[in-house]
Coordinates of all heavy atoms in Angstrom, one line a residue:
G428 N -1.3 7.2 -13.9 CA -2.5 7.0 -14.7 C -3.2 8.3 -15.0 O -4.0 8.4 -15.9
N429 N -3.0 9.4 -14.2 CA -3.6 10.7 -14.4 C -2.7 11.7 -15.0 O -3.0 12.9 -15.0 CB -4.1 11.2 -13.0 CG -5.2 12.2 -13.2 OD1 -6.1 12.1 -14.0 ND2 -5.2 13.2 -12.3
L430 N -1.5 11.3 -15.5 CA -0.5 12.2 -16.0 C -0.2 12.0 -17.5 O -0.5 10.9 -18.0 CB 0.8 12.0 -15.2 CG 0.8 12.1 -13.7 CD1 2.1 11.8 -13.1 CD2 0.3 13.5 -13.3
D431 N 0.3 13.0 -18.2 CA 0.7 12.8 -19.5 C 2.0 12.0 -19.6 O 2.6 11.8 -18.5 CB 0.8 14.2 -20.3 CG 1.8 15.1 -19.6 OD1 2.8 14.6 -19.0 OD2 1.7 16.3 -19.7
R432 N 2.5 11.7 -20.8 CA 3.6 10.8 -20.9 C 4.9 11.4 -20.2 O 5.6 10.8 -19.5 CB 3.9 10.4 -22.3 CG 5.2 9.6 -22.5 CD 5.3 9.0 -23.8 NE 6.6 8.3 -23.9 CZ 7.0 7.5 -24.9 NH1 6.1 7.2 -25.8 NH2 8.2 7.0 -25.0
K433 N 5.1 12.7 -20.5 CA 6.3 13.4 -20.0 C 6.4 13.3 -18.5 O 7.4 13.0 -17.9 CB 6.4 14.8 -20.5 CG 7.6 15.6 -20.0 CD 7.6 17.0 -20.5 CE 8.7 17.8 -19.9 NZ 8.7 19.2 -20.4
N434 N 5.2 13.7 -17.8 CA 5.2 13.7 -16.4 C 5.2 12.3 -15.8 O 5.8 12.0 -14.8 CB 4.0 14.5 -15.9 CG 4.2 16.0 -15.9 OD1 5.1 16.5 -15.1 ND2 3.5 16.7 -16.7
G435 N 4.6 11.4 -16.5 CA 4.6 10.0 -16.1 C 6.0 9.4 -16.1 O 6.4 8.7 -15.1
E436 N 6.7 9.7 -17.1 CA 8.1 9.2 -17.2 C 9.0 9.8 -16.1 O 9.8 9.2 -15.5 CB 8.7 9.5 -18.5 CG 8.1 8.6 -19.6 CD 8.6 9.0 -21.0 OE1 9.5 9.8 -21.1 OE2 8.0 8.5 -22.0
L437 N 8.7 11.1 -15.8 CA 9.4 11.8 -14.7 C 9.1 11.1 -13.4 O 10.0 10.9 -12.6 CB 9.0 13.3 -14.7 CG 9.7 14.1 -13.6 CD1 11.2 14.1 -13.8 CD2 9.1 15.5 -13.6
V438 N 7.9 10.8 -13.1 CA 7.5 10.1 -11.9 C 8.2 8.7 -11.8 O 8.7 8.4 -10.7 CB 6.0 10.0 -11.7 CG1 5.6 9.0 -10.6 CG2 5.4 11.4 -11.4
F439 N 8.1 8.0 -12.9 CA 8.8 6.7 -12.9 C 10.3 6.8 -12.6 O 10.9 6.1 -11.8 CB 8.7 6.0 -14.2 CG 7.3 5.4 -14.5 CD1 6.9 5.2 -15.8 CD2 6.5 4.9 -13.5 CE1 5.6 4.7 -16.1 CE2 5.3 4.4 -13.7 CZ 4.8 4.2 -15.0
G440 N 10.9 7.8 -13.2 CA 12.3 8.0 -13.0 C 12.6 8.4 -11.5 O 13.6 7.9 -11.0
K441 N 11.8 9.2 -10.9 CA 12.0 9.6 -9.6 C 11.9 8.5 -8.6 O 12.6 8.3 -7.7 CB 11.1 10.8 -9.2 CG 11.4 12.1 -9.9 CD 12.8 12.6 -9.5 CE 13.1 13.9 -10.1 NZ 14.5 14.4 -9.8
L442 N 10.8 7.6 -8.9 CA 10.7 6.5 -8.0 C 11.9 5.5 -8.1 O 12.3 5.0 -7.1 CB 9.4 5.7 -8.4 CG 8.1 6.3 -7.9 CD1 6.9 5.7 -8.6 CD2 8.0 6.1 -6.4
R443 N 12.4 5.3 -9.3 CA 13.5 4.5 -9.5 C 14.8 5.1 -8.8 O 15.5 4.3 -8.1 CB 13.8 4.2 -11.0 CG 15.1 3.4 -11.2 CD 15.1 2.1 -10.6 NE 16.3 1.4 -10.6 CZ 16.7 0.6 -11.7 NH1 15.9 0.4 -12.7 NH2 17.9 0.0 -11.7
S444 N 15.0 6.4 -8.9 CA 16.2 7.0 -8.3 C 16.1 6.9 -6.8 O 17.1 6.7 -6.1 CB 16.4 8.4 -8.8 OG 15.3 9.2 -8.4
L445 N 14.8 7.1 -6.2 CA 14.7 7.0 -4.8 C 14.8 5.6 -4.3 O 15.4 5.4 -3.2 CB 13.3 7.5 -4.4 CG 13.1 9.0 -4.5 CD1 11.6 9.4 -4.4 CD2 13.9 9.8 -3.5
A446 N 14.4 4.6 -5.1 CA 14.6 3.2 -4.7 C 16.1 2.9 -4.6 O 16.6 2.3 -3.6 CB 14.0 2.2 -5.7
D447 N 16.9 3.4 -5.5 CA 18.3 3.2 -5.5 C 19.0 4.0 -4.4 O 19.8 3.5 -3.7 CB 18.9 3.7 -6.9 CG 18.6 2.9 -8.0 OD1 18.2 1.7 -7.8 OD2 18.6 3.4 -9.2
A448 N 18.6 5.3 -4.2 CA 19.3 6.1 -3.2 C 18.9 5.8 -1.8 O 19.8 5.8 -0.9 CB 18.9 7.6 -3.5
L449 N 17.7 5.4 -1.5 CA 17.2 5.1 -0.2 C 17.1 3.7 0.2 O 16.9 3.3 1.3 CB 15.8 5.8 0.0 CG 15.7 7.3 -0.2 CD1 14.3 7.8 0.0 CD2 16.7 8.1 0.6
G450 N 17.3 2.8 -0.8 CA 17.2 1.3 -0.5 C 15.8 0.9 -0.2 O 15.6 -0.2 0.3
V451 N 14.8 1.7 -0.6 CA 13.4 1.3 -0.4 C 12.9 0.4 -1.5 O 13.4 0.4 -2.6 CB 12.5 2.6 -0.3 CG1 12.4 3.3 -1.7 CG2 11.1 2.2 0.1
A452 N 12.1 -0.6 -1.1 CA 11.5 -1.5 -2.1 C 10.2 -0.8 -2.7 O 9.4 -0.3 -1.9 CB 11.1 -2.8 -1.5
V453 N 10.0 -0.8 -4.0 CA 8.8 -0.2 -4.6 C 8.1 -1.3 -5.4 O 8.7 -2.0 -6.2 CB 9.2 0.9 -5.5 CG1 8.0 1.5 -6.2 CG2 10.0 2.0 -4.8
V454 N 6.8 -1.4 -5.1 CA 5.9 -2.3 -5.9 C 4.9 -1.4 -6.6 O 4.2 -0.7 -5.9 CB 5.2 -3.4 -5.1 CG1 4.4 -4.3 -6.0 CG2 6.2 -4.1 -4.2

Side-chain angles (χ1 to χ4, degrees):
N429 200 38
L430 303 177
D431 59 30
R432 176 167 174 166
K433 179 181 177 181
N434 279 297
E436 291 174 9
L437 181 60
V438 166
F439 284 153
K441 290 299 182 183
L442 281 168
R443 175 58 189 273
S444 64
L445 289 168
D447 291 338
L449 304 179
V451 65
V453 178
V454 186

